[in-house]
Amino acid sequence: MCIRDRYMGKKLLVGTYGAEIYELSTKDAKISEDTKFAVKELMKGHYTPQQKWTNEVWGLDVFKDGDRFASCSDDATLRIWSLSQRKILKWKNLNVDQNEKELPKDSKTGDYQDQAKARAIGLDQNNDYIAVGCLEGTVRVIDVNTLKHVKLLKNRKEWISDIKFAPDNSKMAVGSHDNFIDIYSVPDFKILYKLKGHSSYITHLDWSVDSSALQSNCGAYEILYWDATTGQRNPSGASAYRDEKWCTWSCVLGWPVQGIWPAAVDGTDINATYRSNKKHPGDYHLISVGDDFGKVSIYRYPSLKKGSVPVVGVGHSSHVTNVKFNKSDDMLISTGGEDNCVFQWKVEYK
């Protein structure tokens, strides 16, 4: 616990190991062991439950209403935030089964089980469901309003790395670290297709605007294309989908993001990208980038020239794991891996 005088003699700020900040105030002229304080919670966030190893924050997605976003992490929590209020609106303990019964801690480590540690989030187009992907392959489908489980999906054994709902809200695509992409029907969440073709773990995926196709990246630096109506890979996808309109762009590899890669970096140094929802006043989109060096960068999109110079934001003390624009593109949210931080950036157009 860290306590600091706020210079007025009657207010204290208290920071806890659990990532909480409280303001303690009193009307007493002199503070003593008998002083009674009024307590006000100023902030809370993700944290590291176990001091033996680090916790990471990876999951991030934005609601379609423009003000809310959601995050999740290894601390076994799902948190819904307000951009305008800059605080958590509500949160859910993920260390529970489908019936909301508390799960026992790992008997060997005393930590949460991997089925509660969350690494990816996908929000449906109607803000009805939050799908949360966990470290051991479980996908938790949660009702946005009640935060109760709708379904637990278990078709994978490794880390769920990306989840996205189709623009027409009829399907959900789930990428995992065992090299598969699973497509589920919505709203019954029954598996339709298992997309096999990547030679390494899935990192990112995006739907086409018409919900008919997917593009995906993996740890072997592959870019593959899929027919989402049949579950088949299109081996000629690079040419067949050359002019395809993509609903989002989060893939770190692809023709329009060539310029985001600085010289002398390897293929794992950029962890996340996200294209703006609308065009900049200069008639181009923006692409945000989170990297292993704690930087949040914004480039013009498409970014085609090698060595392009971005606008750079610094503040994270660890690798930046995810970035997302809000609906109106006037805010950018970023998550830090081991620093457990969620940053909110103001985007100013010049």
Side-chain angles (χ1 to χ4, degrees):
M1 181 179 290
C2 175
I3 303 177
R4 191 176 77 167
D5 195 322
R6 215 183 185 191
Y7 309 117
M8 297 176 64
K10 296 181 181 179
K11 290 187 177 181
L12 298 174
L13 290 180
V14 179
T16 74
Y17 180 78
E20 302 153 323
I21 301 175
Y22 295 96
E23 181 184 85
L24 279 65
S25 58
T26 180
K27 294 182 179 179
D28 292 359
K30 186 177 180 180
I31 296 176
S32 69
E33 62 182 19
D34 297 320
T35 298
K36 302 210 179 285
F37 290 95
V39 180
K40 179 182 179 181
E41 180 185 87
L42 299 180
M43 181 64 66
K44 59 183 176 182
H46 293 290
Y47 72 108
T48 305
Q50 285 280 354
Q51 298 186 37
K52 297 178 182 177
W53 48 78
T54 57
N55 176 84
E56 296 194 21
V57 181
W58 283 82
L60 176 67
D61 204 0
V62 294
F63 285 81
K64 309 305 182 288
D65 59 18
D67 185 61
R68 295 177 297 165
F69 68 93
S71 64
C72 64
S73 88
D74 292 345
D75 67 3
T77 64
L78 164 67
R79 299 172 188 257
I80 297 176
W81 308 72
S82 166
L83 283 165
S84 60
Q85 299 179 57
R86 298 191 293 276
K87 70 175 186 179
I88 292 173
L89 299 176
K90 54 185 178 180
W91 67 280
K92 178 176 179 60
N93 172 23
L94 297 173
N95 192 49
V96 293
D97 62 19
Q98 187 168 354
N99 298 317
E100 309 298 335
K101 183 179 179 181
E102 189 83 12
L103 295 171
K105 298 284 185 70
D106 187 291
S107 59
K108 294 181 180 179
T109 64
D111 197 7
Y112 294 119
Q113 295 186 35
D114 284 351
Q115 63 178 298
K117 296 180 178 180
R119 287 291 176 100
I121 288 179
L123 283 154
D124 84 310
Q125 306 302 332
N126 298 325
N127 294 334
D128 291 328
Y129 304 110
I130 305 178
V132 180
C134 299
L135 200 57
E136 48 67 85
T138 294
V139 177
R140 298 169 175 268
V141 182
I142 296 168
D143 182 282
V144 168
N145 295 316
T146 65
L147 292 188
K148 300 293 185 182
H149 280 87
V150 176
K151 276 200 175 180
L152 253 65
L153 309 173
K154 187 68 170 74
N155 289 292
R156 297 291 144 223
K157 297 181 179 179
E158 297 186 36
W159 171 4
I160 301 298
S161 48
D162 201 0
I163 303 174
K164 287 190 174 70
F165 285 79
D168 66 4
N169 221 36
S170 66
K171 299 180 182 72
M172 177 181 73
V174 178
S176 68
H177 271 222
D178 55 4
N179 309 357
F180 283 87
I181 299 171
D182 296 319
I183 297 182
Y184 295 86
S185 58
V186 177
D188 55 2
F189 297 100
K190 294 181 179 180
I191 195 159
L192 297 174
Y193 308 114
K194 299 178 182 181
L195 310 187
K196 181 180 180 181
H198 276 291
S199 55
S200 186
Y201 57 91
I202 310 302
T203 57
H204 307 88
L205 56 88
D206 295 293
W207 285 94
S208 62
V209 169
D210 64 4
S211 303
S212 69
L214 282 167
Q215 65 172 353
S216 54
N217 290 168
C218 77
Y221 318 131
E222 297 168 344
I223 312 170
L224 299 187
Y225 301 88
W226 312 86
D227 184 333
T229 64
T230 64
Q232 298 298 309
R233 177 190 168 192
N234 188 333
S236 303
S239 57
Y241 296 113
R242 179 178 56 189
D243 299 320
E244 191 70 33
K245 290 181 172 58
W246 299 100
C247 182
T248 58
W249 191 285
S250 63
C251 285
V252 299
L253 303 172
W255 180 82
V257 291
Q258 301 171 65
I260 70 172
W261 290 90
V265 297
D266 67 35
T268 65
D269 285 334
I270 290 180
N271 300 311
T273 66
Y274 200 77
R275 187 191 63 202
S276 61
N277 299 290
K278 60 185 179 181
K279 285 190 175 182
H280 179 278
D283 199 35
Y284 54 83
H285 284 275
L286 303 175
I287 187 87
S288 55
V289 177
D291 65 30
D292 270 353
F293 313 108
K295 295 185 297 183
V296 175
S297 304
I298 296 182
Y299 294 81
R300 180 181 296 201
Y301 175 96
S303 180
L304 306 178
K305 185 179 179 181
K306 297 294 176 94
S308 296
V309 179
V311 174
V312 178
V314 294
H316 284 287
S317 62
S318 180
H319 53 296
V320 179
T321 56
N322 217 329
V323 287
K324 288 283 194 305
F325 286 101
N326 68 332
K327 183 179 179 180
S328 58
D329 295 328
D330 59 348
M331 292 287 180
L332 179 69
I333 307 115
S334 62
T335 55
E338 295 178 4
D339 66 14
N340 292 297
C341 290
V342 179
F343 279 24
Q344 181 178 322
W345 307 81
K346 184 178 180 182
V347 180
E348 295 182 343
Y349 293 92
K350 296 183 178 179

